[in-house]
Amino acid sequence: MDIIITTPFDKEVYEIEEITNKIVSVETVKHTKNSLHKNRDIQCPNKKKLVLPGECVLDMNDKDRFLKGGGLYEEDDMFHACILGRVNYINKLIYVEPLKGKYTGSVGDLLVGKIKDISNDKWIVEIGSYCRAFLSISQTNISIFSQRIRLYNDVINMIHIYKPDDVIACEIQRISTDGTIILHTRSSIYGKLSNGVLIIVPQTLIHNQKKHIFVFPCNVQIILGMNGYIWISSPIKKSKDTNPNSVDQNIEENKFEHVDHTTRKNISIITNIIKLLVKYHININYDTINKIYVHYTSNTNNTPSYILKPYVADSYLFNYIDKFARSNQSWGPTSTE
């Protein structure tokens, strides 16, 4: 038989343990609150929220934790939106990203542009921006100029390299102080584009990705320009020294060629899929287009234009898009941090 011996001090010891536990719990709560308060400094309360012009983005309690960026103005110690867009932030800089607007340009962006005119030793390129864009003859890497300096005769013969209305793939090299965008094609992934179609979409639907040039299994190549210009064509033939995942830079070999009927049909389907994504303001990327293409072409009776009919987009295809959107967070306008 067990014998339990109690003393007058047992009750006091028990009370001391209770007091100690309360102190530990209170300190834990304080530490948790402090941690939550510290974490607020790196979180934006209205991130991804769609705001209207004049709507309050940050009140006076949160205003001191952020710096005012584009699309905002300060009034009554609060930040208000001055454009229609989504709230986003980088570190402590908060700004409103517009849903629509002209392309502003950023160094290193891959663009698809159209030659507009020739001025002196530069091509004027249309990239859908408020700013002027130039491609200098010295910023090209064409085989006829290899290993030698550009001469005056080369400037005279510029019309034989890029003509007006030619479509090219290029990159922003730098942006001058007056806002002029300087382009270059000094890489094997840039150059003249042919044997395809150009489609222009809102530039906010295309975000920075690891790759912007893709080849679909259906033998169709797509180039997603950050300026909202998309080039869809048959895969461009590569020279021996060219990266297989890039556009051939050799102007002499990049000529207009006959495109077979199957490839034309696939180009039309992908073009219409992109138009459908633009209609519903869905981000445009390779995975999205490929999944919809596979789902749509599973029925061999579907024609390229059938996907654009209202009752098809609103019932048959949109149900699939909505189902896929629940499992993929990349749908809808997002930002690149």
mmCIF file of all heavy atoms in Angstrom, residues 57 84 130 227 229 239 266 277 307 313 322:
data_model
loop_
_atom_site.group_PDB
_atom_site.id
_atom_site.type_symbol
_atom_site.label_atom_id
_atom_site.label_comp_id
_atom_site.label_asym_id
_atom_site.label_seq_id
_atom_site.Cartn_x
_atom_site.Cartn_y
_atom_site.Cartn_z
ATOM 1 N N VAL A 57 -5.637 53.649 -50.178
ATOM 2 C CA VAL A 57 -4.802 52.453 -50.229
ATOM 3 C C VAL A 57 -4.177 52.169 -48.871
ATOM 4 O O VAL A 57 -4.179 51.040 -48.398
ATOM 5 C CB VAL A 57 -3.713 52.602 -51.311
ATOM 6 C CG1 VAL A 57 -2.782 51.401 -51.315
ATOM 7 C CG2 VAL A 57 -4.347 52.780 -52.683
ATOM 8 N N LEU A 84 -6.711 53.298 -62.045
ATOM 9 C CA LEU A 84 -7.345 51.998 -61.847
ATOM 10 C C LEU A 84 -6.291 50.911 -61.978
ATOM 11 O O LEU A 84 -5.596 50.828 -62.991
ATOM 12 C CB LEU A 84 -8.449 51.786 -62.887
ATOM 13 C CG LEU A 84 -9.095 50.395 -62.929
ATOM 14 C CD1 LEU A 84 -9.842 50.114 -61.640
ATOM 15 C CD2 LEU A 84 -10.020 50.273 -64.129
ATOM 16 N N TYR A 130 4.930 55.013 -75.160
ATOM 17 C CA TYR A 130 4.928 56.458 -75.341
ATOM 18 C C TYR A 130 6.305 56.951 -75.790
ATOM 19 O O TYR A 130 6.416 57.957 -76.483
ATOM 20 C CB TYR A 130 4.553 57.155 -74.028
ATOM 21 C CG TYR A 130 3.102 57.004 -73.644
ATOM 22 C CD1 TYR A 130 2.734 56.331 -72.485
ATOM 23 C CD2 TYR A 130 2.097 57.537 -74.436
ATOM 24 C CE1 TYR A 130 1.411 56.191 -72.126
ATOM 25 C CE2 TYR A 130 0.764 57.403 -74.089
ATOM 26 C CZ TYR A 130 0.423 56.733 -72.932
ATOM 27 O OH TYR A 130 -0.894 56.594 -72.582
ATOM 28 N N ASN A 227 6.268 43.858 -74.223
ATOM 29 C CA ASN A 227 5.477 45.029 -74.597
ATOM 30 C C ASN A 227 4.080 44.667 -75.076
ATOM 31 O O ASN A 227 3.336 45.536 -75.533
ATOM 32 C CB ASN A 227 6.203 45.818 -75.687
ATOM 33 C CG ASN A 227 6.510 44.964 -76.909
ATOM 34 O OD1 ASN A 227 6.592 43.744 -76.824
ATOM 35 N ND2 ASN A 227 6.690 45.601 -78.048
ATOM 36 N N TYR A 229 3.398 42.533 -77.568
ATOM 37 C CA TYR A 229 3.433 42.061 -78.948
ATOM 38 C C TYR A 229 3.812 40.581 -78.930
ATOM 39 O O TYR A 229 4.860 40.213 -78.394
ATOM 40 C CB TYR A 229 4.444 42.852 -79.774
ATOM 41 C CG TYR A 229 4.003 44.251 -80.153
ATOM 42 C CD1 TYR A 229 3.361 45.075 -79.238
ATOM 43 C CD2 TYR A 229 4.237 44.757 -81.423
ATOM 44 C CE1 TYR A 229 2.962 46.353 -79.577
ATOM 45 C CE2 TYR A 229 3.839 46.041 -81.777
ATOM 46 C CZ TYR A 229 3.204 46.836 -80.839
ATOM 47 O OH TYR A 229 2.801 48.101 -81.175
ATOM 48 N N SER A 239 20.598 27.851 -87.830
ATOM 49 C CA SER A 239 21.888 27.528 -88.418
ATOM 50 C C SER A 239 22.661 26.620 -87.476
ATOM 51 O O SER A 239 22.267 26.393 -86.340
ATOM 52 C CB SER A 239 22.677 28.813 -88.701
ATOM 53 O OG SER A 239 22.870 29.539 -87.503
ATOM 54 N N ASN A 266 -2.929 25.193 -86.739
ATOM 55 C CA ASN A 266 -2.491 25.280 -85.343
ATOM 56 C C ASN A 266 -2.162 26.715 -84.944
ATOM 57 O O ASN A 266 -2.442 27.132 -83.813
ATOM 58 C CB ASN A 266 -1.280 24.376 -85.125
ATOM 59 C CG ASN A 266 -1.618 22.902 -85.247
ATOM 60 O OD1 ASN A 266 -2.741 22.492 -84.962
ATOM 61 N ND2 ASN A 266 -0.661 22.103 -85.677
ATOM 62 N N LEU A 277 -8.058 34.472 -73.974
ATOM 63 C CA LEU A 277 -7.445 34.833 -72.697
ATOM 64 C C LEU A 277 -7.490 36.340 -72.472
ATOM 65 O O LEU A 277 -7.697 36.804 -71.348
ATOM 66 C CB LEU A 277 -5.999 34.331 -72.654
ATOM 67 C CG LEU A 277 -5.797 32.812 -72.704
ATOM 68 C CD1 LEU A 277 -4.314 32.478 -72.701
ATOM 69 C CD2 LEU A 277 -6.494 32.132 -71.545
ATOM 70 N N ILE A 307 -13.771 28.364 -81.320
ATOM 71 C CA ILE A 307 -13.476 28.703 -79.930
ATOM 72 C C ILE A 307 -13.889 30.132 -79.585
ATOM 73 O O ILE A 307 -14.080 30.469 -78.409
ATOM 74 C CB ILE A 307 -11.967 28.502 -79.657
ATOM 75 C CG1 ILE A 307 -11.688 28.481 -78.160
ATOM 76 C CG2 ILE A 307 -11.140 29.580 -80.322
ATOM 77 C CD1 ILE A 307 -10.257 28.124 -77.827
ATOM 78 N N ALA A 313 -17.228 29.918 -75.632
ATOM 79 C CA ALA A 313 -16.320 30.500 -74.643
ATOM 80 C C ALA A 313 -16.973 30.595 -73.271
ATOM 81 O O ALA A 313 -16.316 30.406 -72.250
ATOM 82 C CB ALA A 313 -15.869 31.884 -75.110
ATOM 83 N N ASP A 322 -12.194 27.989 -65.546
ATOM 84 C CA ASP A 322 -12.521 28.238 -64.146
ATOM 85 C C ASP A 322 -12.059 27.088 -63.261
ATOM 86 O O ASP A 322 -11.569 27.290 -62.155
ATOM 87 C CB ASP A 322 -14.027 28.448 -64.013
ATOM 88 C CG ASP A 322 -14.416 28.863 -62.607
ATOM 89 O OD1 ASP A 322 -13.881 29.876 -62.125
ATOM 90 O OD2 ASP A 322 -15.238 28.169 -61.999
#
